[in-house]
Amino acid sequence: MKPSLFDQAWNGVEKCKQCRIRELVLFADLQEDDFEQLHQPIIDFDLAPGETLYEEQQASKFVFTLRSGMIKLVRYLPNGSYRIVRLLQRGDLAGIEALNNSAYLHHAIALQDTSICRIPIEDIEELNLHSPHLYKQLTARWYKVQQDADIWLAELTVGNSKKRVANLLLYLARHSLTDYFYLPGREDIGALLAITTETASRIIAKFKRLGYLQIEHHGALIDKDKLRAIS
Amino acid sequence: MKPSLFDQAWNGVEKCKQCRIRELVLFADLQEDDFEQLHQPIIDFDLAPGETLYEEQQASKFVFTLRSGMIKLVRYLPNGSYRIVRLLQRGDLAGIEALNNSAYLHHAIALQDTSICRIPIEDIEELNLHSPHLYKQLTARWYKVQQDADIWLAELTVGNSKKRVANLLLYLARHSLTDYFYLPGREDIGALLAITTETASRIIAKFKRLGYLQIEHHGALIDKDKLRAIS
DNA sequence: CGGATCGTTGACAGGTATCAATGCTGGTGG
DNA sequence: CCACCAGCATTGATACCTGTCAACGATCCG
């Protein structure tokens, strides 16, 4: 989780301008001039699976852009179990609630090897005050939060477990052209869909037997048509 | 749903300044000068239960502030049923996704007699460009969307039905000092919690028999301690 | 007063949680 | 290099819960 000295030294501004996924990220619309408003370093670093990016209720001074990998946003429940409320992928912004000067609303935990850029809130506020080019992207990010949350509520919490797992697999595969994608552990699948680990395992195993799903390492390959027929 | 001529004539600016719930709404932080940026009329009107404020995918030129009453945000599912993804109450903003120049993401339908102010997007964008006083409230509104969505996901979609109904009742009563609040119909309770109408009815009836809940007209009075023990 | 709408209840089949035991696999240290 | 271990996945048995289909009661409104 600690940024390397190399990365810290080569601080963000030049790097941001040349970022390979810049069209995907928060700074997509920025002009040359705008980058001069960035006074604090933007550093980037990697997380290994299971590592925590930030914790709920922790003071929040940064938002984070995902350059690659996957992060789960988790809320723990009073009884000790947990619920995954969103998954973030390439180009997504984590910890956007920091912009409201509030504590983080979730635990953010890496599921895969994940590459992150850390952006100070102060820079964003400064930039937003002096340039009109950030507003649109910020609004778009907030919008996406709402949209994702609604998809979750409408598609992944209704119907029986078989339907939900099918929908989850399709959701995970939606950006993959090859139909190959990262498949979370069974416990996480349970936490994503509000079902138990055992039920998640049974259904995944069944899909495997039926040939709707092939598993290799931590990834999976699905038959989208068959799964769509279920959902 | 049509604004009365009287309301249209007495256009919004003066009214907004004197609004009784202004500290709750989007314009809370505006200064005298800011109001001069508002060029289009802000009109207000009422909705009766069951009336539609806007529909999903409809072009969106306005956001709406709820002065009183309650609105459900609904998504229809492919199979014809529906899911309520959020409830809006006094001070809340409906249709905030319009700020992203996108179509509305839900159907917005009144549950009670509801009083609404209609604010043109153009005014908000104009205002935001020339005054720093709106940004904070806008961010706060987006933040609330995320927070509400997360509460929904974490509290109202986990556990068995009894637990969910108990949590919903506590959620509905959370702003009421008297423990008295509007109780949705059983079908809507089902759509809120992703359970069937019958199950919702059974549980509400059981709570009634146990004395955890008294019903009068469309409202209810609950025993918070008993319900908290369940959840 | 009648009809429409909503709420309630019953019976039953199917789905899911729970508890418990057994495979499987990748990583570690000898 | 291999045996072992810890963590994860799978599977079984069972009780409980929920959806489904159906009927009946209550309430509101014209």
Side-chain angles (χ1 to χ4, degrees):
Chain A
M1 173 151 178
K2 293 248 176 74
S4 71
L5 286 176
F6 174 80
D7 288 334
Q8 285 191 51
W10 191 24
N11 95 32
V13 177
E14 276 312 309
K15 221 169 170 178
C16 281
K17 285 191 210 166
Q18 293 160 23
C19 176
R20 268 176 309 139
I21 60 165
R22 205 180 115 193
E23 72 280 4
L24 288 179
V25 301
L26 191 60
F27 291 165
D29 301 329
L30 294 196
Q31 313 291 315
E32 276 290 321
D33 296 353
D34 295 326
F35 282 101
E36 288 167 19
Q37 303 282 344
L38 299 171
H39 297 310
Q40 299 183 48
I42 292 172
I43 59 182
D44 66 303
F45 55 92
D46 295 325
L47 291 180
E51 285 190 303
T52 296
L53 178 59
Y54 55 77
E55 300 197 349
E56 195 175 340
Q57 299 188 326
Q58 185 176 307
S60 53
K61 304 279 184 206
F62 305 97
V63 298
F64 305 88
T65 288
L66 265 73
R67 295 170 49 78
S68 68
M70 193 182 291
I71 288 213
K72 59 177 175 182
L73 299 184
V74 172
R75 283 178 78 102
Y76 285 93
L77 305 176
N79 68 13
S81 67
Y82 65 95
R83 182 99 164 82
I84 299 176
V85 299
R86 226 163 298 129
L87 292 177
L88 303 181
Q89 287 175 297
R90 194 168 72 122
D92 285 338
L93 205 60
I96 191 174
E97 61 267 33
L99 297 175
N100 192 43
N101 293 310
S102 313
Y104 294 116
L105 288 171
H106 324 94
H107 296 254
I109 301 172
L111 290 175
Q112 307 173 270
D113 288 314
T114 298
S115 171
I116 308 252
C117 285
R118 192 188 80 173
I119 308 170
I121 296 299
E122 283 181 34
D123 271 2
I124 292 185
E125 286 178 342
E126 187 73 10
L127 200 52
N128 207 30
L129 222 54
H130 295 100
S131 159
H133 297 120
L134 196 56
Y135 170 77
K136 208 167 131 192
Q137 281 290 330
L138 277 178
T139 302
R141 301 298 153 152
W142 282 116
Y143 175 81
K144 187 166 187 302
V145 169
Q146 175 177 9
Q147 205 177 18
D148 284 349
D150 290 345
I151 289 175
W152 223 259
L153 279 165
E155 291 179 17
L156 299 181
T157 65
V158 292
N160 60 28
S161 302
K162 201 163 50 168
K163 211 176 282 184
R164 289 193 221 175
V165 173
N167 276 326
L168 175 64
L169 294 174
L170 290 168
Y171 176 82
L172 289 169
R174 77 195 183 293
H175 291 140
S176 159
L177 294 176
T178 62
D179 292 356
Y180 179 83
F181 56 90
Y182 168 79
L183 185 70
R186 305 300 173 270
E187 189 180 358
D188 278 346
I189 293 179
L192 282 158
L193 300 176
I195 60 180
T196 58
T197 305
E198 292 91 333
T199 300
S201 174
R202 271 184 247 270
I203 293 169
I204 293 287
K206 191 179 185 185
F207 284 170
K208 244 192 301 187
R209 277 193 294 272
L210 290 170
Y212 299 175
L213 174 70
Q214 290 166 49
I215 292 183
E216 40 193 69
H217 204 56
H218 282 203
L221 201 64
I222 60 170
D223 183 335
K224 288 190 182 180
D225 292 331
K226 292 275 172 53
L227 291 177
R228 257 191 279 269
I230 292 174
S231 76
Chain B
M1 174 150 177
K2 294 246 177 74
S4 72
L5 286 175
F6 174 79
D7 287 332
Q8 286 192 51
W10 190 25
N11 95 29
V13 177
E14 277 312 310
K15 220 168 169 180
C16 281
K17 286 191 209 166
Q18 292 159 23
C19 176
R20 267 176 308 138
I21 60 165
R22 205 180 114 193
E23 73 278 4
L24 288 179
V25 301
L26 191 59
F27 291 165
D29 300 330
L30 295 196
Q31 313 290 314
E32 275 290 321
D33 297 354
D34 295 326
F35 282 102
E36 288 167 19
Q37 303 280 345
L38 300 171
H39 298 310
Q40 299 183 47
I42 293 172
I43 59 182
D44 67 304
F45 55 91
D46 295 325
L47 292 179
E51 285 190 302
T52 296
L53 178 58
Y54 55 77
E55 299 196 350
E56 196 175 340
Q57 297 189 328
Q58 184 177 306
S60 55
K61 304 278 183 207
F62 305 97
V63 298
F64 305 88
T65 288
L66 265 73
R67 296 169 48 78
S68 68
M70 193 183 290
I71 286 212
K72 61 178 175 182
L73 299 184
V74 172
R75 283 178 79 103
Y76 286 93
L77 305 177
N79 67 13
S81 67
Y82 66 95
R83 183 101 163 80
I84 299 175
V85 298
R86 227 162 298 130
L87 292 177
L88 304 181
Q89 289 175 298
R90 195 167 71 123
D92 286 338
L93 206 60
I96 191 173
E97 61 267 32
L99 296 175
N100 193 44
N101 292 314
S102 314
Y104 293 117
L105 288 170
H106 323 94
H107 296 256
I109 301 172
L111 290 175
Q112 307 174 271
D113 287 314
T114 297
S115 170
I116 307 248
C117 287
R118 192 188 81 175
I119 307 170
I121 296 299
E122 284 182 35
D123 271 2
I124 291 183
E125 286 178 342
E126 187 73 10
L127 200 51
N128 207 30
L129 223 53
H130 295 98
S131 159
H133 297 119
L134 196 56
Y135 170 77
K136 209 168 130 191
Q137 281 291 328
L138 277 177
T139 302
R141 301 297 154 154
W142 282 115
Y143 175 81
K144 188 167 188 298
V145 168
Q146 177 176 9
Q147 203 177 19
D148 285 349
D150 290 345
I151 289 176
W152 224 260
L153 280 164
E155 293 179 17
L156 299 181
T157 65
V158 292
N160 60 27
S161 303
K162 200 162 51 166
K163 211 176 282 185
R164 289 194 221 174
V165 173
N167 276 326
L168 175 63
L169 294 174
L170 290 168
Y171 175 82
L172 290 169
R174 77 196 184 291
H175 290 140
S176 157
L177 295 176
T178 62
D179 292 357
Y180 179 83
F181 56 90
Y182 168 80
L183 185 71
R186 306 299 173 272
E187 188 179 358
D188 278 344
I189 292 178
L192 282 158
L193 300 175
I195 59 180
T196 58
T197 306
E198 293 91 331
T199 300
S201 174
R202 270 185 249 271
I203 293 169
I204 293 286
K206 191 179 184 184
F207 284 171
K208 247 192 301 185
R209 278 192 294 273
L210 291 169
Y212 299 175
L213 174 69
Q214 289 165 50
I215 292 182
E216 40 192 68
H217 203 58
H218 283 208
L221 200 64
I222 60 171
D223 182 334
K224 288 190 182 179
D225 292 331
K226 292 275 171 54
L227 291 176
R228 257 191 279 268
I230 292 173
S231 77

